Amino acid sequence: MKWERLISDRRLGLEEFHDKDKQIRSDFQRDYDRMIFSSPFRRLQNKTQVFPLPGSIFVHNRLTHSLEVATVGRSISREVLLRLDENGVPREQLRIMSHIPDIVSTACLCHDLGNPPFGHSGEKTISTWFSEGPGKDLQNLLEPSQWNDLINFEGNANSFRLLTHEFVGRRKGGYAMTYSTLGTLVKYPWTSEHAGNKGKFGFFTSEEETYRKIADNLGIPELSPGLFARHPLVYLMEAADDICYQIMDIEDAHRLGILSLSEATEYLLDFFDSERKGKLKRGMGYLADPNEKIGYLRSSVIGAMVEGCADVYVSRLDEMLEGKAIGPLVELLEPRMKDAYSKCAEMAYDRIYCAPYVVDVDLAGNKIISNLLDVLMDAVLHPDKNYSQLLLSKFPKQYDINAPTIYGKIQSVLDHVSGMTDVYALDLYRKLNGHSLPGV
């Protein structure tokens, strides 16, 4: 792969209007701004990250997480460019690559747009509604590839759909993002038929041709039918996300009392050698507030991981450009940092993701999403029923409930449900079950 093709400001759906006139903002900066002002991005503030949406104690939601990932993604990108400059990469090549921080930070903003309400359990609930629930009856009405999309419902693939699909009343190309931003967003550039045991894939059957068009333009090779190489910038977006969710979850767990000050401190100090630990402990001594102490360590860990991931990226860049899969950058860090990260991940699985706060959201979210799918799917697939007609009159017009195929009708429901905030999903659930009435 060549950077001259990998970095393209051509916009999806607006190819015929492409021009090279210089603007105050580059097209990649326009992508970033477009997302900041978009409705799907604003809705992230009412979507659960890990812990329930906060009351008196602040924890991260999808919006704050995405902003932090974008910031870290930009920092890693700048560190990469600095190292490439120091390594003697030609100026003309660096000029082309100068857009990388804007491309990566925008992809980071977008990476969670397609996640349904109630955290990652929402994805699982949608998948199992088809594989274990009422949706099983629909399998014989669908193509195998379409069925794979549904039983492996993926927020990453849904993000790509949200940005590229021409919803009813919308323009061709969806949000008309640049090819490079869209290529960098697709973390798993293959179809659901390659999802494997982890159920990860990057685009639904309905968007496969769109991704092929983007990959062809950017020079991303198809390694086997339906399985593409990653855009090299995907690794930077992935690293930023890995850093933020793992390290910020420790800070949130401390704020909620799941981890004590000493426990959180120990996990974060493990990233450093003895000399740096001593300096950090002295720095903590100037802070009286326990939350500030952890915030200080958290920022130090992120800074160290940013530099470490930039080092790994530059050292493995040739392999990425050849289309080889090298694995997440955080798994290629030097041993001490990698081990510290692994310990945090193991602890998070045992104590954070299984905490009562989190399980309560999973249980409630499963009930709410399953019920909404029961009711909305029946209405869309059987529109002649009296109740269906009442319900469909309230269906957002942008979702194509009159799609010509069963798969398209199903997707209209999933578009609606996955776009809901936690609060909206709960409110609609209450109304449809007669637990809430307007003005009562």
Side-chain angles (χ1 to χ4, degrees), residues 324-360:
K324 296 179 180 178
I326 67 167
L329 299 183
V330 295
E331 295 181 6
L332 300 172
L333 293 168
E334 53 90 11
R336 182 184 60 253
M337 198 170 291
K338 178 185 175 182
D339 290 345
Y341 185 89
S342 296
K343 288 179 183 177
C344 290
E346 292 170 5
M347 177 276 298
Y349 182 82
D350 292 336
R351 296 185 57 186
I352 296 178
Y353 305 143
C354 295
Y357 301 93
V358 179
V359 176
D360 287 346

Side-chain angles (χ1 to χ4, degrees), residues 5 16 29 41 43 60 63 68 85 99 108 114 182 289 346 357 397 433 438:
R5 292 184 66 184
E16 64 270 30
Q29 291 169 331
F41 186 73
R43 285 198 294 268
H60 290 81
L63 182 72
E68 289 170 350
D85 186 23
H99 297 294
C108 290
L182 293 171
D289 187 333
E346 292 170 5
Y357 301 93
K397 303 302 181 186
N433 286 280

Side-chain angles (χ1 to χ4, degrees), residues 27-251:
D27 281 295
F28 306 113
Q29 291 169 331
R30 290 173 185 271
D31 277 354
Y32 186 93
D33 297 347
R34 186 169 297 180
M35 279 303 99
I36 288 290
F37 286 92
S38 70
S39 294
F41 186 73
R42 290 197 300 271
R43 285 198 294 268
L44 292 178
Q45 74 173 348
N46 275 321
K47 286 193 175 187
T48 297
Q49 172 67 15
V50 172
F51 299 103
L53 296 178
S56 59
I57 300 176
F58 173 80
V59 291
H60 290 81
N61 55 42
R62 290 277 176 195
L63 182 72
T64 50
H65 168 71
S66 297
L67 288 168
E68 289 170 350
V69 173
T71 300
V72 173
R74 186 183 297 275
S75 294
I76 302 176
S77 300
R78 287 174 172 167
E79 290 287 343
V80 165
L81 291 178
L82 179 63
R83 283 157 177 73
L84 291 175
D85 186 23
E86 292 172 346
N87 289 349
V89 171
R91 289 292 172 179
E92 180 59 24
Q93 183 90 327
L94 286 174
R95 185 191 64 78
I96 294 171
M97 299 175 74
S98 66
H99 297 294
I100 288 177
D102 291 323
I103 296 170
V104 171
S105 59
T106 303
C108 290
L109 282 185
C110 300
H111 83 285
D112 271 352
L113 288 181
N115 282 46
F118 305 110
H120 284 294
S121 67
E123 292 174 286
K124 190 66 175 177
T125 299
I126 292 174
S127 296
T128 54
W129 189 87
F130 292 98
S131 63
E132 301 174 5
K136 287 179 69 175
D137 296 337
L138 299 171
Q139 182 175 3
N140 293 332
L141 303 176
L142 299 166
E143 298 293 331
S145 59
Q146 297 170 340
W147 182 246
N148 278 327
D149 286 352
L150 300 177
I151 63 174
N152 295 294
F153 182 84
E154 236 292 321
N156 292 282
N158 203 41
S159 295
F160 186 74
R161 174 177 171 81
L162 183 63
L163 291 175
T164 62
H165 182 67
E166 185 179 357
F167 291 97
V168 178
R170 303 297 178 86
R171 65 183 170 188
K172 183 180 178 182
Y175 279 86
M177 306 293 281
T178 61
Y179 280 29
S180 289
T181 294
L182 293 171
T184 303
L185 173 67
V186 182
K187 189 174 177 181
Y188 310 105
W190 48 80
T191 64
S192 59
E193 293 174 300
H194 295 278
N197 294 332
K198 293 185 177 181
K200 298 294 186 181
F201 63 101
F203 41 85
F204 298 120
T205 301
S206 49
E207 282 71 55
E208 182 175 351
E209 287 308 310
T210 299
Y211 183 77
R212 285 183 177 279
K213 178 180 180 179
I214 292 168
D216 182 65
N217 182 270
L218 298 177
I220 298 174
E222 186 171 9
L223 305 178
S224 63
L227 191 154
F228 295 80
R230 274 182 161 189
H231 190 298
L233 298 184
V234 169
Y235 289 96
L236 298 179
M237 179 200 68
E238 179 182 54
D241 186 30
D242 287 343
I243 291 171
C244 285
Y245 81 75
Q246 200 67 78
I247 304 306
M248 302 311 300
D249 285 352
I250 291 178
E251 185 172 23

